[in-house]
Structure formats: structure tokens, C-alpha cells
């Protein structure tokens, strides 16, 4: 009781102090709030609170660095392109600054864990630039993804192509502009660095793999009739690996590893193995939240059912459904009507998909923990634990 009371006082103190200095201060994360249980020692709770604050401070600092980082992109090298420079700035701020920025900050955190920036501000800034390259890469991918999926909202606001600034199909070209800006930044800041070519190759390879994954994902959207061969566990794993895991988890850590010179084949291979597994866990969560999370909390309107996505929920439901349930799923999946969506969700309820999800999520989480605890090829386990902690039991 006393430990919990001290914790609550400490949390209130921190929240009040930070609210005073930083308007719009966000509440502490659920992960930290869970640690307020009396089963935790107070020093563990205190450490969790401090880590939460440090993460928020890093994200705030990271976000504030954007003006400086992208300044070279906005220099008017040709006055005839003045409107394009303005559009580029709008593109970046609209599409790259409203998310959780976990990917960009992961570059910073990984580099800090690996070498503490060698007490060199330049190293910290370089990691920040690489982080923004990851965020911009995600930005251009999401613009294209939202167009293809006919999404309405992203991160709690209209998708770029739905706005006045990104009206219609011109947003496709905007995604190209964002992509090219990554390589302008890389050349400006890193062309003389020993890790430049490795990072360029990694970014290009990651972009290609993600586009392959998107193409796989879209194949189920382009068919006239349901084809069960497109909804297998094997195919789902390929979509997850290529569309999500490489750019969301492998890319940020690998960039930091190249920058810090921790890039032996053994280190890179083991990091990739663990991070792709974390990406698999993340995408299963994403599929579940698309169906079950509140749209306001999620920041977007889930459309996996209407878009006939090869999602974990649908693939798993097919595995356990009887013939009559399969018939309902096959007849209604991929239809726009509210009635069809509700029929699919009704079968999910009959099959207890929520319970199956939580069981499977716990299993894969434990598998990842075992991978980290058994062998990280000499890399600090904290790199992977930090990533895993950020997504474990997330609600959006």
C-alpha cells in the first residue's frame, strides 16, 4: 500500500511538473501504469516512470529537430520551383510528424545504446537525421497505401490524398517526391561517411521489399471471387515480413548498427532474425486492432474486412471455421456493406477470435523474449527489449 501511494505521489509530481513546462503533456503510458501494481517493487515502478519520461523527452527533442534536418531540402535552388519546395514542406509536416515516431527514435535509441554517441553531439545529430529518413520513408509509403486501400483517415485526420493539398491522384506523385527527399538528405549529410553506401543500400533494399509486400497485400483486393489459396498462413507471413517488418523494425536498428560500426555478418543476421519476429508480432496486433479497436483510439477507420485483406484474423478464422461459417466468411468478406462486415464479425465472435488472439499474442511474445535472452550475437539485449516493450499490449 505504501509503495503504491509513493508511486502515485511520484507520478502526480512528474505529471504536474512536466505539464507546467510542456503544454499538452500526455499521460504516462499503459506499460508504466501497469507497473503501479503492488506486486512491483517501488524502485521498479520509479525506473519505469523515469524511462517513460525519458522516451517522451527524446520524442519531443526528435520532433523539434525536423526544421534543422530538412533545411537543405527547402533551399530555393531554383526559384521556379518555389511552390514545390512549399509543397514538400507541407508534405513532410502533414505526413511525417503526427505518428508515434517510434521508428525514427529507434535509430537514436539504438545508437545511444551501442556507443552513447561517443559523447559527440555530431553523432547524435547524424542518428537524428537517419531517424527522420526512416520517418519520411514511412510517410511516402503510407500516402500510397492509403490511396490503394481507399482509406479515409490516418493518425486521427484525413489521409493526405483526401485533403485539399493532396487532392486525388496528384498525391501519388507526392509520395515520389517524399521518397526522393530521403536520398537528398543522405547525400547532403553522409556522402563522406564510411557507412554511407551501406545505409543507402539498406534504404533502397527496404523500400523495394516493402513495395513487394504491398503488391502481395493488394493481390486479394484485385480478385473478382474469393480464392482460398490467397489466404494461407504461409502467404500471410510473407506479406507481414515484406510489407511491415523490414521497414518498421529491421531498418531503424540496422541503420544505427552501420553508423556505429556494429555490422559484422553475425550481428546483422541475428538482429534481423529477432526484429522480423517482433514485426510479425506487431502486425498481428495491427490486424486485431483494425477490427476491434475504437476508431478514435486507433486514429483511423479499420477497413481490413471491406478491403479483403489477408489478415491474421481471417486466415485463423478459416482454419477453425466449420463449413457453414466458412460459407458466411467467403460470401461476405471483401464487401462494402455494413451488413456484410457485421456477418464476418459475427463469425469471429462465434469462433472466439478475441480469445484466440490473446493466447497467440502471449505465445509469440514469450518466443521473442526467449530469442533475446538466449542469444543476441553480442549486441546489447536492451536494443530488442526496448522495441518489444513499446509494442507489447498496445492499444493503437
Amino acid at each position: 500500500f505504501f509503495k503504491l501511494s509513493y508511486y502515485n505521489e511520484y507520478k502526480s509530481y512528474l505529471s504536474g511538473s512536466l505539464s507546467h513546462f510542456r503544454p499538452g503533456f500526455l499521460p504516462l503510458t499503459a506499460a508504466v501504469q501497469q507497473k503501479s501494481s503492488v506486486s512491483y517493487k517501488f524502485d521498479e515502478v520509479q525506473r519505469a516512470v523515469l524511462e517513460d519520461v525519458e522516451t517522451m523527452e527524446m520524442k519531443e527533442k526528435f520532433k523539434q529537430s525536423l526544421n534543422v534536418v530538412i533545411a537543405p531540402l527547402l533551399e530555393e535552388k531554383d526559384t521556379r520551383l518555389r511552390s514545390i519546395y512549399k509543397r514538400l514542406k507541407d508534405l513532410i509536416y502533414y505526413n511525417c510528424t503526427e505518428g508515434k515516431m517510434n521508428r525514427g527514435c529507434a535509430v537514436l535509441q539504438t545508437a545511444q545504446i551501442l556507443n552513447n554517441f561517443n559523447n559527440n553531439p555530431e553523432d547524435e545529430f547524424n542518428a537524428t537525421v537517419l531517424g527522420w529518413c526512416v520517418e519520411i520513408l514511412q510517410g511516402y509509403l503510407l500516402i500510397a497505401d492509403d490511396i490503394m486501400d481507399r482509406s479515409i483517415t490516418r493518425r486521427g485526420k484525413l489521409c493526405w490524398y483526401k485533403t485539399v493539398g493532396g487532392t486525388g491522384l496528384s498525391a501519388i506523385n507526392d509520395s515520389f517526391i517524399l521518397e526522393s527527399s530521403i536520398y537528398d538528405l543522405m547525400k547532403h549529410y553522409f556522402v563522406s561517411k564510411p557507412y554511407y553506401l551501406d545505409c543507402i543500400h539498406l534504404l533502397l533494399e527496404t523500400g523495394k521489399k516493402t513495395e513487394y509486400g504491398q503488391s502481395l497485400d493488394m493481390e486479394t483486393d484485385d480478385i473478382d471471387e474469393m480464392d482460398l489459396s490467397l489466404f494461407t498462413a504461409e502467404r500471410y507471413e510473407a506479406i507481414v515480413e515484406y510489407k511491415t517488418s523490414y521497414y518498421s523494425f529491421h531498418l531503424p536498428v540496422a541503420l544505427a548498427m552501420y553508423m556505429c560500426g556494429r555490422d559484422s555478418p553475425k550481428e546483422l543476421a541475428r538482429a534481423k532474425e529477432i526484429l522480423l519476429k517482433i514485426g510479425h508480432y506487431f502486425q498481428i496486433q495491427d490486424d486485431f486492432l483494425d477490427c476491434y479497436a475504437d476508431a478514435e483510439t486507433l486514429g483511423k477507420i479499420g477497413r481490413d474486412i471491406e478491403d479483403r485483406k489477408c489478415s491474421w484474423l481471417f486466415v485463423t478464422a478459416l482454419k477453425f471455421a466449420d463449413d457453414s461459417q466458412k460459407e458466411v466468411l467467403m460470401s461476405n468478406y471483401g464487401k462494402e456493406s455494413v451488413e456484410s462486415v457485421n456477418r464476418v464479425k459475427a463469425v469471429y465472435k462465434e469462433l472466439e477470435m478475441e480469445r484466440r488472439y490473446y493466447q497467440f499474442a502471449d505465445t509469440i511474445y514469450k518466443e521473442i523474449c526467449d530469442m533475446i535472452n538466449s542469444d543476441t550475437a553480442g549486441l546489447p539485449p536492451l536494443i530488442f527489449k526496448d522495441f518489444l516493450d513499446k509494442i507489447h499490449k498496445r492499444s493503437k
Side-chain angles (χ1 to χ4, degrees):
F1 172 80
F2 288 111
K3 291 176 182 177
L4 183 57
S5 298
Y6 280 125
Y7 163 76
N8 287 329
E9 282 186 29
Y10 183 68
K11 189 176 78 171
S12 299
Y13 170 73
L14 282 174
S15 298
S17 300
L18 287 167
S19 296
H20 175 71
F21 289 107
R22 197 182 313 153
F25 174 75
L26 297 174
L28 297 173
T29 64
V32 171
Q33 290 171 352
Q34 288 171 2
K35 285 182 167 54
S36 63
S37 165
V38 292
S39 63
Y40 282 84
K41 295 179 180 179
F42 176 67
D43 61 342
E44 292 175 344
V45 175
Q46 185 182 37
R47 190 183 310 116
V49 174
L50 289 172
E51 287 173 356
D52 199 44
V53 172
E54 287 171 2
T55 298
M56 286 186 284
E57 287 176 344
M58 175 179 281
K59 286 186 177 181
E60 186 65 26
K61 187 177 179 181
F62 179 72
K63 191 171 182 177
Q64 290 176 357
S65 71
L66 181 58
N67 268 333
V68 176
V69 170
I70 66 171
L73 299 176
L74 307 179
E75 293 175 4
E76 290 192 4
K77 301 177 181 69
D78 186 338
T79 56
R80 295 171 298 177
L81 299 178
R82 184 169 294 163
S83 63
I84 305 302
Y85 298 134
K86 181 184 182 303
R87 189 176 184 87
L88 174 56
K89 183 177 182 179
D90 293 342
L91 269 168
I92 292 172
Y93 274 91
Y94 193 91
N95 295 287
C96 306
T97 62
E98 298 296 328
K100 296 183 284 292
M101 291 182 282
N102 285 339
R103 295 165 182 84
C105 286
V107 182
L108 272 166
Q109 289 170 319
T110 303
Q112 188 173 43
I113 292 168
L114 288 175
N115 71 0
N116 199 28
F117 303 125
N118 291 323
N119 297 314
N120 184 348
E122 183 185 355
D123 284 346
E124 183 175 1
F125 180 74
N126 288 340
T128 300
V129 173
L130 289 173
W132 277 114
C133 286
V134 175
E135 290 294 328
I136 293 171
L137 181 140
Q138 185 191 30
Y140 93 74
L141 290 170
L142 293 183
I143 289 175
D145 186 65
D146 288 340
I147 296 170
M148 287 181 274
D149 288 349
R150 299 176 293 278
S151 298
I152 307 299
T153 57
R154 168 75 66 178
R155 295 168 173 168
K157 60 185 182 183
L158 284 176
C159 298
W160 175 254
Y161 82 99
K162 287 284 187 180
T163 69
V164 175
T167 302
L169 298 183
S170 66
I172 296 174
N173 192 61
D174 289 337
S175 72
F176 300 156
I177 292 173
L178 266 189
E179 181 185 18
S180 66
S181 70
I182 296 169
Y183 302 101
D184 284 340
L185 287 175
M186 291 296 295
K187 182 179 179 180
H188 179 84
Y189 288 109
F190 304 119
V191 70
S192 63
K193 300 292 183 183
Y195 49 84
Y196 174 65
L197 288 179
D198 284 325
C199 289
I200 286 289
H201 174 76
L202 179 63
L203 286 161
L204 288 168
E205 189 70 12
T206 301
K208 180 185 75 174
K209 287 176 176 175
T210 308
E211 288 151 12
Y212 285 177
Q214 177 68 16
S215 186
L216 275 177
D217 189 42
M218 291 297 296
E219 285 180 357
T220 55
D221 190 51
D222 295 334
I223 57 176
D224 295 326
E225 296 182 6
M226 289 291 289
D227 180 355
L228 281 178
S229 68
L230 296 175
F231 298 94
T232 64
E234 182 182 23
R235 196 167 179 283
Y236 175 73
E237 288 173 6
I239 292 172
V240 171
E241 179 178 329
Y242 280 86
K243 185 181 177 182
T244 301
S245 299
Y246 279 112
Y247 96 85
S248 293
F249 296 92
H250 177 248
L251 175 63
V253 173
L255 284 172
M257 288 173 67
Y258 280 125
M259 177 187 155
C260 297
R262 296 295 299 270
D263 53 357
S264 71
K266 182 179 179 182
E267 289 172 324
L268 289 169
R270 185 56 176 171
K272 177 180 174 181
E273 186 179 4
I274 296 172
L275 292 163
L276 292 185
K277 187 78 169 180
I278 294 175
H280 191 178
Y281 176 44
F282 175 86
Q283 187 59 52
I284 290 168
Q285 291 176 317
D286 222 42
D287 293 350
F288 176 80
L289 293 171
D290 184 274
C291 181
Y292 290 102
D294 175 74
E296 186 175 346
T297 301
L298 192 60
K300 64 177 182 178
I301 300 169
R303 283 188 51 89
D304 281 1
I305 294 174
E306 294 93 324
D307 291 338
R308 201 186 285 132
K309 293 297 183 183
C310 181
S311 77
W312 181 85
L313 285 169
F314 189 69
V315 169
T316 306
L318 286 176
K319 179 180 177 182
F320 293 101
D322 59 29
D323 289 343
S324 63
Q325 290 169 325
K326 281 184 181 177
E327 179 59 33
V328 174
L329 292 174
M330 297 292 285
S331 301
N332 291 280
Y333 202 64
K335 302 288 179 64
E336 288 284 345
S337 70
V338 175
E339 292 80 8
S340 290
V341 172
N342 287 337
R343 290 187 192 109
V344 172
K345 289 184 176 181
V347 174
Y348 285 174
K349 185 173 182 179
E350 291 170 13
L351 294 171
E352 299 182 274
M353 292 306 297
E354 286 192 68
R355 177 185 61 80
R356 294 183 191 278
Y357 161 76
Y358 286 116
Q359 285 182 340
F360 189 76
D362 284 345
T363 298
I364 196 169
Y365 174 76
K366 289 173 184 174
E367 288 175 357
I368 296 168
C369 289
D370 289 342
M371 290 176 73
I372 296 170
N373 292 331
S374 64
D375 177 26
T376 59
L379 293 167
L382 183 59
I383 293 172
F384 309 105
K385 289 179 179 178
D386 189 62
F387 241 143
L388 189 57
D389 287 346
K390 279 183 171 58
I391 67 170
H392 185 46
K393 293 186 178 179
R394 66 192 178 97
S395 60
K396 62 179 180 178

